[in-house]
Amino acid sequence: MSPTANSRTEVANSSYSAANFASVFAVLSTFGAVIQSKIAEPEELDDVVQCTDGSQNLKDLALAVLAAATGRKSKAPLNAGQWPKLCSEVAGNTVFILKSLQVPEAVADSLDAFIEQSVAVRVDVLYWLCEAALMDNPAIKELVDREAEKMRKPTLASTAKDNFVRLQPLAEISKQRYWMFGSKTRQLYLESLSQRGRGKLELLAQTPDEFRSVAEEMHAQRSRAPKELADHIVEETVPFLEAQIRKRERVERALQRQALAMANVHIYETRTRKRQRVNYNVDDGLEVADF
């Protein structure tokens, strides 16, 4: 794949696992109500793990994901003092996950110790906690079971597909993974895997024209897998985006009509409607209605 430069936005640093980053974003997007996360775009998550605006957002996110990983029912947020004990509890139940990640023991010492780690470690810690939440959080389990039940019903398959964020790559072709994100939008990301399994997550398309361009390039390839992905883009993704654009345009036109109507209302009409004007005769002090 060789998309145009202006359609390609790098959001993941090559020093951390793009696959783990994508998984974290998928969990936060799908179960944001449970985890109490408002992250809506991969770029937002990238800013948080990079501490672009300071470390507070990362601290809040880490505590929220840790709370979900412990299965807490309380809506009260965790505090930094609870980090060591709860991290140790989660680690004891998920050793098999930690073995494949860059998570040193010092992470559990304090929340500040976690913040001081490299970006790669921060992403792996969030991935670990998200995986623990998927396994042990009752509310998340209920949502997953509910969606799984929908997927078993043919009449609800299309609805479930549109509303449920993908936790696995959309496709994997020649050591390249394609990730599709978005609820009312669609963004196609490409992850080019290195020998160590770490690559860059890059934005390939987010508008109908960009998706068509990607589909044309895939159709030009000889193998079957790119052609199937291109068909999916042309038959499902592009029509979905065009429908969303039409919806936004209808809303914008309605707002414009409303604003125009309000602008054409004269102030005299709003203040004196249904009133009769009165002339005053100062000579006799009498009021004579002017019909």
Side-chain angles (χ1 to χ4, degrees), residues 211-280:
F211 272 105
R212 291 190 189 96
S213 177
V214 171
E216 288 177 3
E217 293 186 30
M218 290 182 173
H219 268 305
Q221 298 184 34
R222 294 184 178 181
S223 57
R224 178 181 176 182
K227 295 181 184 295
E228 291 180 348
L229 182 54
D231 290 339
H232 173 84
I233 290 174
V234 172
E235 296 172 4
E236 297 189 24
T237 305
V238 172
F240 172 83
L241 288 174
E242 290 177 338
Q244 293 297 109
I245 291 174
R246 289 193 294 271
K247 288 181 182 178
R248 287 196 296 270
E249 289 175 347
R250 287 197 297 269
V251 172
E252 289 174 358
R253 287 196 297 269
L255 291 175
Q256 290 173 357
R257 289 195 298 269
Q258 183 178 2
L260 183 61
M262 292 298 296
N264 289 333
V265 175
H266 195 280
I267 188 170
Y268 178 82
E269 297 177 7
T270 62
R271 293 184 177 179
T272 62
R273 186 172 299 165
K274 295 183 180 179
R275 295 182 182 178
Q276 293 179 332
R277 289 185 299 172
V278 178
N279 292 334
Y280 295 90

Side-chain angles (χ1 to χ4, degrees), residues 148-179:
E149 182 63 26
K150 289 181 181 179
M151 293 300 291
R152 286 192 286 266
K153 297 179 181 180
T155 56
L156 296 178
S158 59
T159 302
K161 179 175 57 181
D162 289 341
N163 293 336
F164 199 59
V165 175
R166 196 178 292 275
L167 298 180
Q168 298 294 330
L170 178 64
E172 185 168 344
I173 305 170
S174 300
K175 295 184 179 180
Q176 291 183 320
R177 291 173 180 164
Y178 295 87
W179 300 83

Side-chain angles (χ1 to χ4, degrees), residues 1-11 176 190-192 200-205 210:
M1 288 298 301
S2 57
T4 58
N6 62 357
S7 68
R8 205 169 187 176
T9 304
E10 182 179 314
V11 297
Q176 291 183 320
L190 170 66
E191 179 191 5
S192 299
K200 294 182 179 180
L201 197 64
E202 298 173 291
L203 178 63
L204 289 181
E210 289 176 349

Side-chain angles (χ1 to χ4, degrees), residues 15-266:
S15 65
Y16 63 74
S17 170
N20 289 354
F21 173 89
S23 295
V24 171
F25 174 72
V27 171
L28 295 178
S29 300
T30 307
F31 307 109
V34 176
I35 301 176
Q36 298 182 20
S37 167
K38 296 182 179 180
I39 291 177
E41 300 293 342
E43 289 83 358
E44 295 178 38
L45 177 59
D46 188 65
D47 287 341
V48 171
V49 298
Q50 299 278 5
C51 292
T52 303
D53 299 320
S55 62
Q56 189 58 49
N57 289 336
L58 180 58
K59 289 180 179 180
D60 292 342
L61 177 61
L63 288 172
V65 179
L66 176 59
T70 59
R72 284 168 50 93
K73 294 182 180 180
S74 173
K75 293 184 179 181
L78 296 179
N79 59 63
Q82 296 172 284
W83 176 268
K85 179 181 178 181
L86 295 180
C87 268
S88 298
E89 290 179 2
V90 175
N93 298 326
T94 55
V95 175
F96 61 96
I97 299 177
L98 290 170
K99 287 182 179 179
S100 62
L101 301 173
Q102 299 184 50
V103 180
E105 293 183 3
V107 165
D109 291 346
S110 67
L111 186 58
D112 288 333
F114 159 68
I115 298 296
E116 292 171 359
Q117 300 297 321
S118 66
V119 179
V121 173
R122 296 171 189 168
V123 170
D124 280 2
V125 169
L126 292 176
Y127 172 81
W128 159 53
L129 294 176
C130 283
E131 288 293 301
L134 288 174
M135 291 188 300
D136 298 328
N137 188 282
I140 291 179
K141 281 185 177 181
E142 182 180 350
L143 289 173
V144 172
D145 291 344
R146 189 184 307 165
E147 292 297 328
E149 182 63 26
K150 289 181 181 179
M151 293 300 291
R152 286 192 286 266
K153 297 179 181 180
T155 56
L156 296 178
S158 59
T159 302
K161 179 175 57 181
D162 289 341
N163 293 336
F164 199 59
V165 175
R166 196 178 292 275
L167 298 180
Q168 298 294 330
L170 178 64
E172 185 168 344
I173 305 170
S174 300
K175 295 184 179 180
Q176 291 183 320
R177 291 173 180 164
Y178 295 87
W179 300 83
M180 186 80 79
F181 297 121
S183 177
K184 294 183 179 180
T185 61
R186 290 290 185 271
Q187 298 92 35
L188 180 65
Y189 285 84
L190 170 66
E191 179 191 5
S192 299
L193 300 178
S194 64
Q195 293 181 350
R196 297 180 58 190
R198 295 179 180 275
K200 294 182 179 180
L201 197 64
E202 298 173 291
L203 178 63
L204 289 181
Q206 59 182 343
T207 67
D209 289 340
E210 289 176 349
F211 272 105
R212 291 190 189 96
S213 177
V214 171
E216 288 177 3
E217 293 186 30
M218 290 182 173
H219 268 305
Q221 298 184 34
R222 294 184 178 181
S223 57
R224 178 181 176 182
K227 295 181 184 295
E228 291 180 348
L229 182 54
D231 290 339
H232 173 84
I233 290 174
V234 172
E235 296 172 4
E236 297 189 24
T237 305
V238 172
F240 172 83
L241 288 174
E242 290 177 338
Q244 293 297 109
I245 291 174
R246 289 193 294 271
K247 288 181 182 178
R248 287 196 296 270
E249 289 175 347
R250 287 197 297 269
V251 172
E252 289 174 358
R253 287 196 297 269
L255 291 175
Q256 290 173 357
R257 289 195 298 269
Q258 183 178 2
L260 183 61
M262 292 298 296
N264 289 333
V265 175
H266 195 280

